[in-house]
Amino acid sequence: MGAVKNMVRGFIYSGIYAVVTIVIPLLTFTWLWNMVVEGFPLSFEQQEYQNVIFWVTAFGLIITGCAFFTHSSPKQSIRKAVFALIQVLVNCLYIWSYKFSGATNIGFIITDPLMGFIALNIQQMVLIYMGIYFLTIVIKVYDIFDFTINREKIREDRMKA
């Protein structure tokens, strides 16, 4: 029964990660791409839009797959710790892809009569997230060492329960 419970938990977390890393960003960027302010359509380059959508979808799918393996593994197992570390590293690449796909520095041109230019720059926020993820990587590496060193004790505790 424990294996079925782990698989269901893995599918649930995969669904959550798919919504958070793929669906919400796609809807947000599509909404921004089609935005109209006071009768003037805002637009950014088609290539920038496609680039952002590609990287968000690609890394979102990888994160979703890693989330399944991370959350379907037994608690305090080496497999869970390794997949959690891989997932955090892929999350770092996902956040970093926002920077290089152009999503953190989007310029809008107000097109109707050429009225002006609006720029949205959130690169500093990406750097803050990267700092937080660095600390998370340290914790996940510690978990791998902890679960490896205390492997026998963890197995004994599982047998007692």
Side-chain angles (χ1 to χ4, degrees):
M1 187 63 171
V4 173
K5 180 181 166 185
N6 286 344
M7 295 294 284
V8 169
R9 187 175 358 145
F11 281 118
I12 289 171
Y13 276 98
S14 289
I16 292 169
Y17 274 92
V19 167
V20 170
T21 61
I22 299 172
V23 174
I24 292 174
L26 288 179
L27 290 175
T28 302
F29 284 112
T30 303
W31 174 72
L32 283 173
W33 195 50
N34 297 322
M35 187 180 222
V36 176
V37 175
E38 300 212 9
F40 299 114
L42 299 178
S43 64
F44 56 98
E45 297 293 325
Q46 176 72 20
Q47 185 61 36
E48 287 179 3
Y49 174 74
Q50 289 177 345
N51 202 11
V52 169
I53 296 301
F54 172 77
W55 287 111
V56 165
T57 306
F59 281 116
L61 288 172
I62 295 170
I63 289 171
T64 302
C66 287
F68 172 78
F69 290 112
T70 298
H71 295 285
S72 67
S73 301
K75 292 181 180 178
Q76 293 184 328
S77 68
I78 296 171
R79 180 176 65 201
K80 183 175 186 109
V82 168
F83 278 116
L85 178 63
I86 292 169
Q87 184 178 356
V88 170
L89 293 172
V90 173
N91 282 341
C92 288
L93 292 174
Y94 177 78
I95 295 294
W96 200 250
S97 75
Y98 273 92
K99 180 175 170 59
F100 285 109
S101 68
T104 59
N105 194 9
I106 297 175
F108 297 101
I109 302 169
I110 302 176
T111 55
D112 208 10
L114 192 55
M115 298 281 299
F117 184 81
I118 299 171
L120 176 66
N121 189 345
I122 55 172
Q123 291 181 357
Q124 294 300 318
M125 190 170 73
V126 169
L127 294 176
I128 290 171
Y129 277 118
M130 294 304 287
I132 293 169
Y133 274 117
F134 172 75
L135 297 174
T136 307
I137 290 170
V138 171
I139 291 171
K140 297 303 178 185
V141 169
Y142 172 78
D143 283 347
I144 291 173
F145 286 127
D146 181 38
F147 298 159
T148 304
I149 292 169
N150 296 320
R151 188 177 196 173
E152 295 301 321
K153 184 176 183 303
I154 292 170
R155 284 184 180 170
E156 289 173 8
D157 291 343
R158 271 194 208 140
M159 292 299 178
K160 290 179 185 176

